[in-house]
Amino acid sequence: MTVFQLNEEQVAIQALASDFAKNEIAPYARKYDEEESFPMEIFQDLHKYGLSNLAVPEEYGGPGIDKMSQALIIEEIAKACAGVATSLEANSLSSYPILVGGSEELKKKYLTKLTEEGKFAAFALTEPGAGSDVSSLKTTAKKIGDDYLLNGEKCFITNATFADFYVVLANVLVKSGQKKFTAFIVDRELAGVKVGETEKKLGLRASNTASVIFEDVLVPSKNRIGEEGEGFKIFMKGLMHARPMVGAQALGIAQAAYEASLNYAKEREQFGKPISHLQAIQFMLADMAMSIEASRLLVHKAVDLLQSGKPSIKHASFAKCFASDTAMKVATDAVQIFGGYGFIRDYPVEKYFRDAKIMQIYEGTNQIQRVVIAKEILS
């Protein structure tokens, strides 16, 4: 049986991330949420402290940390602001296809843009008519000489407005009429790349989200990730690495909502005593603590498998699905414990509630996670 005991280095990294989150993010999280603005200065500081581009190996300028350390950092950042954690991890998400299927030339060129120049990247998969059903993608890439002519629209793209490049999945049209899913890196500066208006969102308001439109964009063949027809496999492998980290984000939200509820329940008095003395509240707090602990074990199990070189699509889905369901339930109960105050923006739990919902939706809805799990256990 695996026991996830943190080593000294991991404890130190967790403490660094916790201190940064408490001092440099939490005091300003409400401001960025209300303004729906992108906290560029926070990302610059994260980069300076070595707390960004967490998935990138040291040879390409990344921190070169293990997967458990990455999960610990993401959890601590998400406790302070899940919007910041989401945009932070968008660079990691964009890195995975390059790491999985990219040439050495692509790795050196684009990963070092993130690590050395502090640039942003975006993972462009979802389309207006293709979310869970990836086979319905309409974005096409037609081979023309040494280039590909890219056309299509991607939506709900994190960091789209600020990205220096996009990692895109498209259909290459071949003479037989067959479509081959193929992955590309598309530079922002190329003619025909257009970014839509920033989306107005329920939660994660400090994270930038917008559409990206490609109109006759000429992409060099050298920017293809892997071979034609390998794009779907490359993207799915990338998501297998990313989903446990969504679980870590969800853990951060759940932990923050639980801690706020625990403290409030000890202070708030009704019927002549703190509401923490009421069994109804005690049971809610007990369920929160239990579900968070179970989520953390699932996340750490999936992360441990990644670190050991045995990534598991089943365990990645376990982690993402269970932890995000937990975050939504814990945040909902936190609002209930706070009562009327939980509905007011002066208190933190309404933000946790709004931020938690997307955890059940992005990087594969929890319904899709259950389809993946069912397929794995029945195969």
Side-chain angles (χ1 to χ4, degrees):
M1 179 180 177
T2 304
V3 178
F4 306 113
Q5 186 70 41
L6 303 183
N7 60 39
E8 289 184 12
E9 183 179 354
Q10 290 165 341
V11 170
I13 288 172
Q14 184 182 42
L16 173 64
S18 178
D19 287 344
F20 185 94
K22 288 175 183 175
N23 297 320
E24 306 299 331
I25 301 177
Y28 312 105
R30 175 61 63 182
K31 170 182 178 289
Y32 289 112
D33 181 75
E34 294 285 349
E35 295 176 354
E36 300 187 50
S37 58
F38 192 71
M40 185 63 76
E41 56 270 34
I42 288 178
F43 291 109
Q44 290 170 344
D45 286 342
L46 282 164
H47 183 70
K48 182 172 68 177
Y49 281 92
L51 294 172
S52 62
N53 300 304
L54 303 174
V56 181
E58 198 169 6
E59 63 191 290
Y60 305 112
I65 57 174
D66 60 44
K67 294 299 180 183
M68 186 67 77
S69 295
Q70 181 180 351
L72 294 170
I73 291 169
I74 291 304
E75 180 181 343
E76 294 299 329
I77 301 299
K79 281 175 69 175
C81 180
V84 172
T86 294
S87 276
L88 180 68
E89 268 301 277
N91 268 18
S92 294
L93 178 59
S94 304
S95 301
Y96 292 130
I98 302 173
L99 289 166
V100 167
S103 66
E104 190 64 22
E105 181 184 358
L106 289 178
K107 291 174 185 177
K108 287 180 178 177
K109 179 179 179 180
Y110 288 98
L111 295 180
T112 54
K113 279 191 174 189
L114 305 180
T115 59
E116 294 178 7
E117 300 176 34
K119 302 291 188 181
F120 292 93
F123 182 87
L125 174 61
T126 304
E127 297 182 2
S132 297
D133 182 12
V134 178
S135 64
S136 296
L137 289 180
K138 296 292 192 292
T139 298
T140 59
K142 184 178 180 181
K143 190 73 182 289
I144 300 179
D146 290 331
D147 298 320
Y148 287 88
L149 192 65
L150 188 68
N151 282 281
E153 178 182 357
K154 300 293 184 177
C155 64
F156 309 141
I157 307 304
T158 302
N159 290 354
T161 303
F162 299 92
D164 187 70
F165 63 88
Y166 306 95
V167 179
V168 180
L169 187 64
N171 279 309
V172 170
L173 307 176
V174 294
K175 291 180 180 178
S176 65
Q178 182 186 6
K179 296 178 180 179
K180 291 185 174 181
F181 286 117
T182 307
F184 298 93
I185 298 175
V186 182
D187 289 292
R188 169 69 174 272
E189 64 190 22
L190 291 177
V193 177
K194 300 177 182 178
V195 179
E197 294 294 318
T198 300
E199 301 287 0
K200 299 291 186 180
K201 306 192 297 292
L202 171 71
L204 301 189
R205 293 177 179 175
S207 175
N208 171 259
T209 308
S211 296
V212 185
I213 300 95
F214 306 104
E215 294 181 354
D216 291 336
V217 179
L218 280 175
V219 181
S221 293
K222 64 182 180 181
N223 275 31
R224 188 184 67 219
I225 303 173
E227 300 298 323
E228 289 184 3
E230 292 182 346
F232 181 81
K233 179 177 67 176
I234 289 169
F235 265 57
M236 291 306 106
K237 283 184 177 179
L239 286 170
M240 184 165 57
H241 283 77
R243 282 171 178 162
M245 300 307 167
V246 177
Q249 290 181 54
L251 264 178
I253 296 171
Q255 186 68 39
Y258 163 68
E259 289 176 6
S261 300
L262 188 65
N263 292 332
Y264 183 80
K266 292 176 180 178
E267 296 169 359
R268 172 68 169 169
E269 291 192 1
Q270 290 288 276
F271 309 106
K273 57 186 176 183
I275 62 173
S276 60
H277 289 212
L278 303 172
Q279 194 174 59
I281 302 298
Q282 291 175 356
F283 282 5
M284 293 172 77
L285 292 169
D287 284 341
M288 286 179 175
M290 181 167 52
S291 297
I292 290 169
E293 186 69 9
S295 298
R296 185 169 285 110
L297 288 170
L298 281 173
V299 169
H300 287 188
K301 172 69 173 181
V303 168
D304 185 64
L305 288 168
L306 283 177
Q307 185 60 40
S308 63
K310 302 174 184 176
S312 164
I313 188 171
K314 179 178 70 175
H315 286 87
S317 291
F318 281 167
K320 191 272 183 188
C321 188
F322 194 88
S324 57
D325 280 349
T326 292
M328 193 68 245
K329 178 65 166 64
V330 169
T332 301
D333 285 350
V335 172
Q336 192 71 20
I337 287 172
F338 273 71
Y341 293 110
F343 207 67
I344 304 299
R345 290 186 185 179
D346 290 343
Y347 291 80
V349 291
E350 63 87 27
K351 181 178 184 298
Y352 302 141
F353 178 87
R354 289 186 287 106
D355 287 346
K357 186 59 204 174
I358 193 63
M359 301 291 147
Q360 296 177 302
I361 298 171
Y362 69 2
E363 293 189 32
T365 67
N366 282 6
Q367 287 68 38
I368 288 296
Q369 302 310 316
R370 287 172 168 86
V371 169
V372 170
I373 292 166
K375 181 178 178 181
E376 289 295 307
I377 64 177
L378 291 170
S379 64

